[in-house]
Amino acid sequence: MSDNRVVQGRMQTPESLAELIEGDSVMDAEPIEDADRDCPECGENVITVGYMPSALEFVTGYKCQECDWAETDRD
């Protein structure tokens, strides 16, 4: 499976997807994977990426491939 995915009509790398979810730059990102759920807003596919926004934090982010919906696993 390719590391890049199309999100809202644009090709995203793991790092660029993590930055899109985070709203800021990230240190590192894992490969993009399919999430086992559908978007709560539009019902389309959701993908997931694990990333490190800082040296002390690991976050799993979720992003719909078709709309603006995104969330993270932060408390």
Side-chain angles (χ1 to χ4, degrees):
M1 183 181 301
S2 173
D3 284 345
N4 300 337
R5 296 289 185 93
V6 175
V7 178
Q8 292 181 275
R10 301 183 74 140
M11 188 63 71
Q12 301 287 340
T13 64
E15 290 80 12
S16 66
L17 177 61
E19 290 172 357
L20 184 65
I21 295 168
E22 187 67 16
D24 202 358
S25 61
V26 298
M27 294 182 65
D28 192 27
E30 296 184 342
I32 298 169
E33 298 179 359
D34 291 317
D36 293 330
R37 61 184 184 177
D38 295 327
C39 177
E41 291 186 8
C42 73
E44 293 295 329
N45 295 330
V46 173
I47 54 179
T48 183
V49 63
Y51 60 92
M52 293 182 69
S54 69
L56 302 175
E57 184 178 23
F58 183 84
V59 175
T60 302
Y62 301 91
K63 174 74 179 86
C64 177
Q65 288 187 269
E66 301 299 327
C67 76
D68 291 334
W69 179 85
E71 73 175 19
T72 66
D73 65 350
R74 284 188 178 106
D75 292 335

